[in-house]
């Protein structure tokens, strides 16, 4: 029997923009991907001294702290959407402007270790939310950011979004 968290979302379950994230997630149980991705990201960030966490690879780009904060904020928003739609809430949810969130968060005043703790706790909460969803909740849909999205797609988007930004930390911020 296939577990709902093992079913890859169809392209019709999310806006085309999010394919860039969903496509990064390997086949299999998305909960395993969420756990592995968190471990990988925390391992990568553990090598960043706080003095380097304010580094920007280019003027006008987010610092390492801001990028981590953005991953946290986005996961919270996506998980909230999954909670609402998973509970069969029909209300349409608005989008959010990521640059405004980062600009108004003051992430550069937060130690990188604290952001790592926050990321770990948010991810653990997301995993528990998904793990406790009833099987039929995974296919429930709602409207967010002007487009239809399933609970299943939101879980895969969270995993892929973390993977996407981990790769940016490696390639543009030269983290290893």
């Amino acid at each position: 029997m296939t577990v709902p968290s093992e079913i890859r979302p169809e392209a019709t379950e999310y806006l085309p923009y999010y394919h860039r994230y969903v496509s990064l997630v390997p086949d299999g149980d998305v909960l395993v991907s969420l756990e592995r991705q968190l471990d990988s990201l925390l391992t990568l960030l553990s090598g960043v001294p706080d003095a380097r966490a304010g580094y920007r690879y280019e003027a006008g780009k987010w610092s390492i702290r801001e990028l981590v904060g953005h991953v946290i904020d986005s996961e919270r928003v996506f998980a909230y959407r999954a909670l609402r739609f998973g509970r069969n809430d029909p209300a349409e949810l608005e989008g959010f402007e990521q640059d405004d969130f980062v600009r108004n968060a003051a992430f550069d005043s937060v130690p990188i270790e604290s952001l790592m703790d926050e990321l770990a706790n948010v991810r653990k909460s997301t995993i528990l939310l998904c793990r406790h969803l009833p099987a039929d909740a995974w296919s429930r849909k709602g409207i967010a950011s002007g487009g239809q999205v399933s609970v299943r797609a939101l879980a895969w988007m969270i995993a892929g979004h973390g993977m996407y930004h981990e790769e940016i930390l490696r390639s543009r911020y030269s983290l290893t």
Side-chain angles (χ1 to χ4, degrees):
M1 183 172 131
T2 304
V3 179
S5 58
E6 294 177 345
I7 302 170
R8 178 177 288 280
E10 300 290 326
T12 57
E13 294 181 51
Y14 54 89
L15 291 169
Y17 172 83
Y18 294 107
H19 182 72
R20 68 193 318 196
Y21 304 135
V22 173
S23 67
L24 295 175
V25 182
D27 288 335
D29 193 330
V30 72
L31 299 178
V32 171
S33 291
L34 286 165
E35 289 169 349
R36 287 182 180 158
Q37 197 280 317
L38 175 61
D39 290 342
S40 178
L41 187 52
L42 291 177
T43 298
L44 181 66
L45 291 170
S46 69
V48 178
D50 200 57
R52 175 145 160 57
Y55 171 75
R56 300 167 194 277
Y57 69 89
E58 187 177 294
K61 296 296 184 181
W62 293 338
S63 69
I64 294 170
R65 282 190 201 94
E66 289 172 329
L67 185 144
V68 173
H70 161 71
V71 171
I72 294 166
D73 280 354
S74 297
E75 183 154 340
R76 280 189 169 121
V77 170
F78 293 162
Y80 174 72
R81 292 172 179 177
L83 172 66
R84 295 279 302 265
F85 301 151
R87 301 296 192 255
N88 221 13
D89 186 338
E92 183 172 337
L93 302 178
E94 294 195 24
F96 70 104
E97 177 46 56
Q98 63 183 14
D99 290 320
D100 290 344
F101 270 41
V102 170
R103 187 173 22 265
N104 291 295
F107 289 124
D108 276 332
S109 66
V110 180
I112 190 68
E113 296 83 10
S114 182
L115 288 170
M116 291 169 58
D117 287 343
E118 186 175 354
L119 175 64
N121 285 307
V122 168
R123 177 58 59 90
K124 289 173 186 174
S125 177
T126 297
I127 291 167
L128 287 170
L129 169 67
C130 292
R131 192 170 282 143
H132 298 154
L133 286 169
D136 63 335
W138 284 85
S139 60
R140 292 181 186 149
K141 297 178 182 173
I143 304 294
S145 298
Q148 191 173 61
V149 64
S150 71
V151 173
R152 173 183 19 259
L154 286 161
W156 288 69
M157 288 161 46
I158 291 168
H161 184 256
M163 292 171 182
Y164 176 84
H165 284 292
E166 181 179 346
E167 177 52 35
I168 288 175
L169 286 168
R170 291 181 190 283
S171 63
R172 297 187 187 158
Y173 293 83
S174 302
L175 299 187
T176 57

